[in-house]
Amino acid sequence: MIKAYIFDLDGTLYRGKTPIPGTAQILEKLRAEGKIVLFYTNAGTKSREGIVEKLTNMGIRARKEEIYCGSYLLAKYMKKNYPNKTVFVVGEIGIFEELEIEGIEPSYDQAEVVAVGLDRHFNYEKLAKSLELINNGATFIASNTDNTFPTEHGDRPGCGAIVAAIEVASKKKPEVVGKPNTYAIDLIKKDHNLKNSEILMVGDRLDTDIQFAKNCKIKSALVLTGTTKKSKKYSIKPDYVFDSVADLPTTLP
Ligand SMILES: [Mg+2]
């Protein structure tokens, strides 16, 4: 029996700054029926606080404890696997805020880890510094490898495009934290006392959301409000397909 619904954000609950119709209502209905509502996005330019603010502005109620985002997961991953290591960050404010909460201070010279998220001010200097540090033995960590992210004005280059630049220069593959990697599921299960059979991942992308569910051995629901169009046969098969989150049943086996 599904007890917790994990929602992707972009393309699932909203597009750009516009919520998908019925989003706030379905989340409240799930909560009223005692279900746990969680949010998991690879996006990492904002912290959990920043995402709560964005959702609230769209009329979608959310608490920090319900949010698993790229910046937060990167900081938790650092804390768990590389405690006391110095880190050079390619990324935006969200990553710096979450690292600070974990007590990790970013550095520049001689960093032992290069942590990469989406950075809309990425430039040649940051690329060159990343290469120098990795060549000197620094560990290369990526928030995610999403090639693009959707906006009202079409697709924009994602974190994966920046990761690829560093990968080509350094000839090193990064450790990847976000979807479809399974790292987040253990945190989620522990934080909310859940078993795999009680969790449903709801998302719009096959290669991240649905693949994440497969990798974690949890159930998945594809929604058709984002990247993936209706098809008779999906390359990665979800357990359920709905036109939109508004069509999600509040009870699922
Ligand atoms: Mg999405």
Side-chain angles (χ1 to χ4, degrees):
M1 183 82 138
I2 298 299
K3 236 166 96 175
Y5 289 61
I6 308 176
F7 291 94
D8 168 58
L9 297 183
D10 249 317
T12 300
L13 300 190
Y14 55 71
R15 269 189 302 252
K17 291 187 177 73
T18 315
I20 305 290
T23 291
Q25 290 83 344
I26 185 70
L27 299 189
E28 291 310 322
K29 205 167 145 201
L30 286 166
R31 285 177 174 129
E33 295 192 18
K35 301 294 192 279
I36 296 169
V37 171
L38 303 171
F39 307 92
Y40 179 11
T41 175
N42 273 350
T45 55
K46 289 183 168 64
S47 62
R48 285 168 298 162
E49 292 282 10
I51 289 176
V52 166
E53 200 184 309
K54 176 168 182 178
L55 288 170
T56 306
N57 287 340
M58 283 191 279
I60 301 168
R61 197 162 63 88
R63 287 179 301 119
K64 190 171 129 188
E65 295 69 29
E66 296 168 334
I67 304 210
Y68 296 82
C69 57
S71 54
Y72 173 64
L73 293 168
L74 193 63
K76 292 297 271 189
Y77 185 88
M78 274 289 302
K79 180 86 173 177
K80 179 165 185 260
N81 296 290
Y82 302 98
N84 311 317
K85 296 248 183 185
T86 51
V87 57
F88 172 63
V89 177
V90 175
E92 297 191 18
I93 181 122
I95 295 180
F96 290 92
E97 286 176 358
E98 293 291 353
L99 283 174
E100 194 182 346
I101 293 169
E102 297 303 325
I104 300 166
E105 209 176 309
S107 70
Y108 189 75
D109 287 313
Q110 273 107 46
E112 297 157 287
V113 174
V114 174
V116 183
L118 176 61
D119 183 343
R120 287 167 291 182
H121 301 283
F122 185 61
N123 60 19
Y124 190 81
E125 197 197 331
K126 291 183 188 182
L127 176 58
K129 190 69 197 174
S130 302
L131 173 63
E132 179 197 318
L133 293 167
I134 293 168
N135 278 348
N136 287 339
T139 305
F140 177 18
I141 301 177
S143 168
N144 66 78
T145 52
D146 294 5
N147 51 354
T148 58
F149 66 94
T151 75
E152 289 99 331
H153 315 291
D155 283 350
R156 304 266 289 158
C159 178
I162 293 171
V163 170
I166 299 171
E167 204 178 311
V168 167
S170 68
K171 301 193 200 74
K172 287 265 167 33
K173 289 234 175 281
E175 295 173 21
V176 182
V177 179
K179 290 177 276 190
N181 222 286
T182 61
Y183 173 68
I185 199 71
D186 291 333
L187 272 185
I188 292 173
K189 279 161 63 179
K190 192 164 157 263
D191 288 350
H192 304 279
N193 194 22
L194 292 164
K195 294 200 248 323
N196 292 44
S197 60
E198 297 171 326
I199 308 172
L200 177 75
M201 177 73 214
V202 185
D204 70 307
R205 277 181 77 130
L206 296 170
D207 62 345
T208 53
D209 303 314
I210 308 306
Q211 188 62 52
F212 168 74
K214 297 257 173 237
N215 292 347
C216 298
K217 299 184 170 59
I218 60 173
K219 289 225 169 93
S220 62
L222 175 72
V223 289
L224 302 172
T225 44
T227 309
T228 313
K229 298 289 159 255
K230 202 175 191 80
S231 161
K232 284 205 177 73
K233 198 172 181 292
Y234 295 103
S235 55
I236 302 160
K237 202 180 173 306
D239 294 290
Y240 306 99
V241 181
F242 300 105
D243 285 338
S244 134
V245 283
D247 303 314
L248 267 179
T250 52
T251 306
L252 280 169

